[in-house]
Amino acid sequence: MPRPFVAYLRVYEPLSSFDAALIPQLTAAASAARLDLGTVSEHEREMWLTSQFPVRRSLLPGERRDGTPSASTVRDVLVLDPADVPNPGGVTVGPGPLICPLDVRARSAAALAGFVTSASPALLAESVPVSVDRVRAKALEVLGGTESHEHGVHIVSTTWTVPLPWFCLVDPATRRVVVSTRNAAERQVSWRVAMADARRRAARAHSLATRTFGEEGPSKVLHDTGRWLEQFHPHSAVELDYGGLVQLLDDEQLVNDSSAEDVNAIVEAIEAGDAAEMAARFDKLRDFWGQLAVRERFN
């Protein structure tokens, strides 16, 4: 079975930024380090399936039958060494290890709250075993509790594509590419950046995009992303990961993908007032990501 076709934007924080009561458990989880970029999405899918298969289903993955969070979810973390974060500006990252909790229960609560707002009554009746009011109350309870580690969820994700404004956060030259067989866990594309650099890049791109496109579209994505990043410790690291999307691209596409270069070139072109360069780069991005949009429509 292929990995879920999901891409991720993650924040890894220093251990000291977490609630003191969680630090011993997170320290132990960091030492175990059983998850990596190639296996984490399958682990999340397994948690969801486990929550749905029993006769008495759980509303959210990562919780007990009584609706309280499972103690095992504290162990569901990704770990990053500050030395593995490109840092040409020499800003402070760490100290390590840097921890990214999967926050699966909280992320699922947010997604479920959005689903009940947009889904049709017939779909809700078949897929959600409790009332809409109960879902909203549950989401508020989970997202407002200690599971969000005081700073909100550490991961945002999208299916089938990567929001183009996310590429503004990273230095194109720091891309990590591992080519392997299509469904291999080793097949990866990702970027890492110091939090201070990610915030600076987001603020600059947002200012230029607002001036050019107004407050909606890419400007809103950059605004929301910037506000999300501000929740976390300033010495954290940010990671953009193609996740399971690498299975949708052949080796040549994977190696020659220039999305980060193109988006950053658009930011430079906006600043320089170079409309021709902007148009050329947008055309490249549309051609590359359009092929994945077609796959989504026919899936």
Side-chain angles (χ1 to χ4, degrees), residues 56-137:
R56 183 179 177 184
R57 292 186 294 167
S58 299
L59 183 60
L60 300 172
E63 68 180 16
R64 302 184 181 95
R65 288 189 176 182
D66 63 1
T68 59
S70 170
S72 65
T73 58
V74 179
R75 298 194 296 270
D76 291 330
V77 300
L78 289 166
V79 183
L80 184 61
D81 187 332
D84 292 330
V85 181
N87 189 10
V91 299
T92 301
V93 179
L98 300 173
I99 306 296
C100 177
L102 299 193
D103 295 330
V104 171
R105 188 166 179 259
R107 288 163 54 207
S108 298
L112 188 56
F115 174 73
V116 299
T117 299
S118 60
S120 67
L123 182 56
L124 283 175
E126 289 297 323
S127 57
V128 180
V130 299
S131 69
V132 170
D133 287 343
R134 174 57 185 146
V135 168
R136 289 172 175 156

Side-chain angles (χ1 to χ4, degrees), residues 23 159 273 285:
I23 289 178
T159 55
L285 290 164

Side-chain angles (χ1 to χ4, degrees), residues 3-4 6-10 34-52 60-62 76-78 100-105 107-108 154-158 241:
R3 284 180 277 167
V6 179
Y8 303 90
L9 192 62
R10 304 185 181 96
R34 63 193 182 92
L35 295 173
D36 57 33
L37 299 194
T39 60
V40 65
S41 60
E42 290 179 297
H43 176 71
E44 292 181 352
R45 177 172 59 195
E46 181 180 332
M47 288 182 65
W48 182 83
L49 291 173
T50 301
S51 73
Q52 300 302 303
L60 300 172
D76 291 330
V77 300
L78 289 166
C100 177
L102 299 193
D103 295 330
V104 171
R105 188 166 179 259
R107 288 163 54 207
S108 298
H154 290 72
I155 303 173
V156 291
S157 59
T158 61
D241 175 20

Side-chain angles (χ1 to χ4, degrees), residues 192-212:
R192 291 165 181 165
V193 59
M195 175 62 79
D197 288 339
R199 288 176 179 173
R200 174 183 56 79
R201 288 172 171 273
R204 174 181 178 238
H206 176 254
S207 176
L208 292 168
T210 302
R211 186 193 316 164
T212 305

Side-chain angles (χ1 to χ4, degrees), residues 14-36:
L15 267 173
S16 59
S17 67
F18 292 89
D19 185 274
L22 286 174
I23 289 178
Q25 299 173 73
L26 291 172
T27 301
S31 299
R34 63 193 182 92
L35 295 173
D36 57 33

